Amino acid sequence: MTGAGGPLDGIRVLDISTLFAGPLAATFLGDYGADVIKVEHPRKPDAARGHGPAKDGVNLWWKTLGRNKRTVTIDLGAPEGAQLLRSLVADADVLIENFRPGTLERWGIGPTELHAVNPRLVIARVTAFGQVGPYSSRPGFGSLAEAMSGFAALTGEPDGPPTLPPFGLADGIAALATSYAVMVALRSAEATGTGQVVDMAIIEPILMLLGGQITAYDQLGAVQKRTGNRSVNNAPRNVYRTGDGEWVAVSTSSQSIAERVMTLVGRPDLVTEPWFASGHSRAQHADVLDDAVAAWIAARPTAEVLAEFEKAHAAVAPVYDVRGILADPQYAAIGTVQTVDDDELGPVKMQNVLFRLSGTPGGIRWAGRPHGRDTEDVLEEIGVTAEQLAQLRERGIV
């Protein structure tokens, strides 16, 4: 029950993290064949199992977040549990954790102790603020990163409040960054035989994706403001309501697309204006551009808007909720949504792996499993006998 031929077949990952950034990074690795062992407390499962909707008591988000993972229960804070982890580490390549700094050290399973067992181990430590600094010991979640990074300050209407996303954006970005960092560290370990520690602060990756705001402030003293759905870099760029009450998004990041859009909506005269020659100067005239685009779109049903934009080779997309995603032919063509057979739910739909590889494409081998489903099998692999397992269970260690 390892990689089943995926590109990461033979890589073993111990996921002892909770909630979203660490576990999702492990999911990304498992999607491409890594043998991911999810370790949870025997009496306090990963809190992610309680987030979002459930069906007949079965959490639905966990089916995606926990996919391709074997689930084990161990009390890592107990000496016997810490010893079990050391035994698992001996044959592992990666460990992902997100306890507050110093917690693993207090339990005797910090990097020093784990590298003594397995010098090539990559240890990814995912926390809100990083391993050092005045905030390192504070509790934190992705919402705080979305606030501190400047994301919330930039999001929302100009006269409205800063806006947080309704999903784990910073956690998801940190998960992608963590999986990338793990692969970089694995490549180094392959070359040197020595593992290392990844210090991933959730406040950092989202900051990188916000672009050049730090450099702009450093060099120009510029502080970017909220612009709603508009952009400071190009126009027209907004969402517009169609004649049948739906919404579409239009983007004109390139000059040629901007020219096609304004010609399509009957305002080719604007293309000849001197200020139309660059995205930045167009953004300064967003009102007139938006008025023209909005009026043209409002007079037509969605299907006509999309068809006319396509004929004009201009960039447009419908604003979907999940129903639109599931009905869209492009998502269907590239296999974005997959149906997985599950012991608890039967056939269940979820997002597919992140990208397609031509030779080793990865895949979903199983959906998220119940708490502790694979404890016996995994511990048997490190020499725990049935009698020892029964004793550990009796004492609440597993």
Side-chain angles (χ1 to χ4, degrees), residues 1-15 25-38 68-70 88-96 118 120-124 178-179 181-191 365-366 381:
M1 298 180 70
T2 56
L8 298 182
D9 190 6
I11 299 295
R12 175 165 286 186
V13 178
L14 302 178
D15 174 14
T27 302
F28 293 148
L29 299 173
D31 282 352
Y32 292 94
D35 176 22
V36 180
I37 298 173
K38 171 71 177 180
N68 294 331
K69 300 180 184 182
R70 297 194 282 168
L88 287 169
V89 158
D91 193 34
D93 301 280
V94 179
L95 180 139
I96 301 175
N118 181 352
R120 61 182 175 80
L121 182 71
V122 172
I123 303 172
T178 300
S179 59
V182 164
M183 296 307 300
V184 172
L186 282 173
R187 178 64 184 90
S188 176
E190 179 183 314
R365 304 189 296 283
W366 59 81
E381 292 172 5

Side-chain angles (χ1 to χ4, degrees), residues 119-169:
R120 61 182 175 80
L121 182 71
V122 172
I123 303 172
R125 315 194 77 172
V126 185
T127 57
F129 305 110
Q131 294 295 310
V132 300
Y135 303 165
S136 60
S137 63
R138 291 182 182 179
F141 301 98
S143 297
L144 305 190
E146 290 146 12
M148 286 183 63
S149 65
F151 173 85
L154 295 176
T155 305
E157 294 301 323
D159 57 351
T163 303
L164 296 171
F167 65 100
L169 177 63

Side-chain angles (χ1 to χ4, degrees), residues 279-295:
H280 182 70
S281 57
R282 289 200 312 273
Q284 295 172 0
H285 295 80
D287 285 344
V288 65
L289 297 173
D290 267 348
D291 286 348
V293 174

Side-chain angles (χ1 to χ4, degrees), residues 300-313:
R300 291 161 176 81
T302 305
E304 181 181 343
V305 171
L306 298 177
E308 291 299 318
F309 265 75
E310 184 174 357
K311 282 195 292 186
H313 301 285

Side-chain angles (χ1 to χ4, degrees), residues 302-345:
T302 305
E304 181 181 343
V305 171
L306 298 177
E308 291 299 318
F309 265 75
E310 184 174 357
K311 282 195 292 186
H313 301 285
V316 68
V319 175
Y320 282 154
D321 62 19
V322 66
R323 294 167 294 184
I325 294 166
L326 290 173
D328 187 89
Q330 182 61 34
Y331 279 127
I334 60 178
T336 302
V337 178
Q338 292 291 296
T339 300
V340 182
D341 289 327
D342 180 66
D343 291 343
E344 296 179 292
L345 296 174

Side-chain angles (χ1 to χ4, degrees), residues 50-227:
H51 278 243
K55 179 183 178 183
D56 299 329
V58 177
N59 182 266
L60 300 180
W61 171 221
W62 179 256
K63 289 300 173 183
T64 300
L65 184 62
R67 72 190 189 192
N68 294 331
K69 300 180 184 182
R70 297 194 282 168
T71 58
V72 177
T73 57
I74 302 174
D75 181 356
L76 299 175
E80 300 97 324
Q83 182 54 47
L84 288 173
L85 184 72
R86 294 186 200 101
S87 298
L88 287 169
V89 158
D91 193 34
D93 301 280
V94 179
L95 180 139
I96 301 175
E97 67 97 2
N98 70 336
F99 294 97
R100 290 198 208 181
T103 300
L104 292 189
E105 286 83 352
R106 189 169 68 251
W107 292 342
I109 46 176
T112 299
E113 292 83 2
L114 297 183
H115 279 144
V117 174
N118 181 352
R120 61 182 175 80
L121 182 71
V122 172
I123 303 172
R125 315 194 77 172
V126 185
T127 57
F129 305 110
Q131 294 295 310
V132 300
Y135 303 165
S136 60
S137 63
R138 291 182 182 179
F141 301 98
S143 297
L144 305 190
E146 290 146 12
M148 286 183 63
S149 65
F151 173 85
L154 295 176
T155 305
E157 294 301 323
D159 57 351
T163 303
L164 296 171
F167 65 100
L169 177 63
D171 282 306
I173 296 171
L176 288 166
T178 300
S179 59
Y180 169 58
V182 164
M183 296 307 300
V184 172
L186 282 173
R187 178 64 184 90
S188 176
E190 179 183 314
T192 66
T194 302
Q196 56 188 300
V197 175
V198 174
D199 180 2
M200 178 61 64
I202 297 173
I203 59 175
E204 289 186 299
I206 187 173
L207 180 60
M208 183 65 182
L209 266 61
L210 287 170
Q213 62 175 343
I214 290 177
T215 305
Y217 180 75
D218 174 64
Q219 297 295 306
L220 302 172
V223 178
Q224 188 172 337
K225 305 297 184 182
R226 287 190 293 283
T227 56

